[in-house]
């Protein structure tokens, strides 16, 4: 009975978080069928190739984040470029980057004291008005508590998912075949 109750609560939480994400992104598909670039493409525009422009925002509230450190990552490996491509967000959260020649897609890592390092991937070179998200520690802790899991504090989170950050404290089979 306890296991059944857990799964009912778990799926209710997943459904609630999915609905929140669906409506927060404007509900439904964006205007160009390219869902890999992150965010809703209605506000994204094409800029100069070899550049990336956007705004650092809180994952949950979508408010601008000041003094966040933003680093561009290799989209295939997740490693920083050498030399590093970085910026610190001002009060409106706006940051711009010049990307290396020949780089078509990049990842973005956002860090700030009091928040969890947050990573997003698949930003196309030339995009403007993108959203670079930062997950607060309060949001991360709420999700962990809701799932009844302990998060590994040494890991980053992926905006929109906590994949890779969850460390199971007990592993039990759900069903036996």
């Amino acid at each position: 009975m306890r296991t059944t109750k857990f799964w009912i609560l778990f799926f209710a939480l997943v459904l609630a978080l999915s609905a929140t994400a669906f409506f927060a992104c404007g509900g439904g598909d964006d205007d160009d069928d390219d869902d890999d670039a992150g965010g809703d493409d209605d506000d994204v525009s094409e800029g100069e190739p070899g550049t990336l422009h956007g705004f650092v925002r809180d994952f949950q509230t979508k408010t601008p984040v000041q003094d966040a450190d933003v680093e561009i990552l290799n989209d295939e490996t997740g490693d920083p470029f050498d030399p590093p491509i970085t910026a610190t967000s001002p009060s409106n959260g706006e940051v711009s980057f010049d990307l290396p020649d020949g780089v078509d897609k990049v990842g973005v890592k956002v860090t700030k004291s009091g928040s969890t390092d947050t990573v997003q991937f698949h930003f196309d070179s030339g995009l403007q008005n993108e959203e670079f998200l930062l997950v607060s520690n309060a949001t991360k802790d709420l999700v962990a508590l809701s799932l009844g899991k302990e998060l590994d504090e040494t890991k980053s989170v992926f905006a929109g998912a906590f994949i890779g950050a969850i460390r199971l404290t007990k592993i039990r089979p759900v069903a036996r075949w």
Side-chain angles (χ1 to χ4, degrees):
M1 180 66 173
R2 186 174 179 186
T3 302
T4 303
K5 191 179 211 180
F6 167 79
W7 285 110
I8 291 171
L9 290 173
F10 175 77
F11 287 117
L13 177 64
V14 169
L15 181 61
L17 290 173
S18 298
T20 301
F22 178 80
F23 290 111
C25 293
D29 200 8
D30 53 25
D31 57 4
D32 70 359
D33 295 329
D34 179 12
D35 295 327
D36 291 335
D40 184 2
D41 290 330
D42 290 335
D43 297 331
V44 175
S45 60
E46 290 291 325
E48 290 293 318
T51 65
L52 182 64
H53 170 268
F55 297 87
V56 178
R57 299 189 198 282
D58 180 83
F59 175 79
Q60 190 168 11
T61 66
K62 301 297 188 245
T63 56
V65 176
Q66 183 176 358
D67 297 326
D69 294 319
V70 185
E71 183 172 25
I72 301 298
L73 306 174
N74 181 307
D75 198 62
E76 293 178 11
T77 66
D79 294 327
F81 285 93
D82 185 21
I85 304 169
T86 61
T88 300
S89 60
S91 61
N92 68 353
E94 185 174 11
V95 290
S96 294
F97 302 95
D98 291 323
L99 304 177
D101 291 338
V103 173
D104 296 326
K105 287 187 181 285
V106 296
V108 175
K109 181 177 181 178
V110 183
T111 60
K112 183 177 179 173
S113 178
S115 295
T116 300
D117 294 356
T118 308
V119 179
Q120 292 173 272
F121 286 98
H122 308 306
F123 289 101
D124 292 324
S125 173
L127 288 179
Q128 303 293 305
N129 301 320
E130 271 295 345
E131 203 172 51
F132 308 128
L133 301 173
L134 182 66
V135 175
S136 70
N137 284 337
T139 298
K140 176 195 69 162
D141 293 342
L142 178 63
V143 170
L145 179 66
S146 299
L147 294 174
K149 302 297 176 193
E150 183 179 319
L151 297 181
D152 185 341
E153 298 297 326
T154 65
K155 306 282 184 180
S156 298
V157 297
F158 295 94
F162 284 79
I163 298 170
I166 296 177
R167 180 174 37 145
L168 299 176
T169 56
K170 294 181 184 175
I171 300 176
R172 287 185 269 167
V174 175
R176 296 185 188 206
W177 301 100

